């Protein structure tokens, strides 16, 4: 839920929000992430997909980008997960 600067809940039109957000945590999954995300899209096509890339050193983010919003944050896997959830 979005909030105003004073912390009050802000009304957002329902049509703007996805019914479901799916966060996939990944680290060095370049070979598998594309297939996983394609499969998830087939199961739940209207969901919002977010990949929390935990400091991958391969092409995980590049492979995930066509299917999901990729979030890379912090210096640990947990920090990437937190960034994706916010």
């Amino acid at each position: 839920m979005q909030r105003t600067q004073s912390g009050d809940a802000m009304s957002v039109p329902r049509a703007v929000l996805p019914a479901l957000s799916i966060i996939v945590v990944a680290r060095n999954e370049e070979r598998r992430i594309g297939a996983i995300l394609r499969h998830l899209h087939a199961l739940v096509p209207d969901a919002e997909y977010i990949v929390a890339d935990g400091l991958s050193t391969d092409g995980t983010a590049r492979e995930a980008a066509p299917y999901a919003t990729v979030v890379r944050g912090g210096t640990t896997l947990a920090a990437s997960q937190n960034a994706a959830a916010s």
Side-chain angles (χ1 to χ4, degrees), residues 26-77:
R27 183 173 187 182
N28 293 331
E29 295 292 339
E30 176 182 18
R31 292 183 300 143
R32 292 183 283 263
I33 194 70
I36 290 167
L37 291 170
R38 281 191 300 276
H39 181 73
L40 288 172
H41 273 283
L43 294 173
V44 189
D46 295 329
E48 169 189 39
Y49 291 90
I50 302 168
V51 171
D53 183 13
L55 305 175
S56 294
T57 57
D58 64 0
T60 298
R62 180 187 67 245
E63 295 298 317
Y67 309 102
T69 300
V70 178
V71 177
R72 303 181 86 176
T75 57
T76 65
L77 181 57

